[in-house]
Every structure is written in structure tokens, then in C-alpha cells.
Amino acid sequence: MFEGRKIVLTKPVMEDAAYFQKWFMNKEFRHYYDSYMSVSLDMIEEEIKKVKDVTDPGAEKVDFTVKNKRNGEVIGIASIKDIDRQNGHAEIALG
């Protein structure tokens, strides 16, 4: 878990799947967030089960749920993807 002044990044849990599905079904959201999994709730839950930890040296992608620090409300999703530890490169996707 990572904390900022106003948000918290946590590892996704099954309860987050419905939020992700709602966002992934939104065409405008998908236009800007290119790291979405699938619009099927079952597929999203399967992806959540496979989410790697940021400390895993073999992880090429790490997903986070973005929550409001004050009330714990789920407000977004973030992903670190295309992780290349050898060359110190990765991309960040925020939605």
C-alpha cells in the first residue's frame, strides 16, 4: 500500500471488480486508460487474482486500486506496466 496526502494505492481485491467493470464499459474511459483487462466481471475477477506485487522481481505489470484516503471510497485504478527493471523503464496508466 502506498499513501499520499489525499489518496491511497492498494492491491485490488474482489470487491473492486464491480467498479472496474463499470469503468471498463465506458468507451471514453477506455480511450484514455489503455491498461484495462476485460469488461466481463468474471475475467476482471480472474485478473485481480493474478495481480502481482510491486516487490515481485518478475512482475511486468502491477495494478492498484486508488482510494480516497479520508473515506476509503474507490475513485480510480492505476497500473505500472511494461516494467523493464534491467533498463529502468516502465509506463504508468491512471484511470
Side-chain angles (χ1 to χ4, degrees), residues 64-81:
F64 300 95
T65 299
V66 182
K67 296 182 178 182
N68 182 317
K69 189 173 184 179
R70 190 173 357 142
N71 61 14
E73 177 186 7
V74 176
I75 57 171
I77 185 169
S79 181
I80 302 173
K81 60 184 190 165

Side-chain angles (χ1 to χ4, degrees), residues 30-90:
R30 288 194 319 266
H31 177 75
Y32 293 106
Y33 184 79
D34 66 350
S35 191
Y36 69 94
M37 304 153 193
S38 169
V39 295
S40 161
L41 189 57
D42 293 336
M43 294 294 288
I44 293 169
E45 289 173 346
E46 283 300 314
E47 288 293 324
I48 287 174
K49 289 178 188 175
K50 294 187 230 174
V51 169
K52 304 258 184 174
D53 192 76
V54 73
T55 59
D56 182 346
E60 294 181 7
K61 177 182 173 190
V62 180
D63 295 315
F64 300 95
T65 299
V66 182
K67 296 182 178 182
N68 182 317
K69 189 173 184 179
R70 190 173 357 142
N71 61 14
E73 177 186 7
V74 176
I75 57 171
I77 185 169
S79 181
I80 302 173
K81 60 184 190 165
D82 299 328
I83 299 171
D84 179 354
R85 295 178 194 272
Q86 183 176 359
N87 295 307
H89 173 79

Side-chain angles (χ1 to χ4, degrees), residues 5-16:
R5 284 192 349 239
K6 296 185 179 185
I7 64 167
V8 178
L9 300 179
T10 62
K11 190 172 182 176
V13 294
M14 289 300 162
E15 292 78 19
D16 299 333

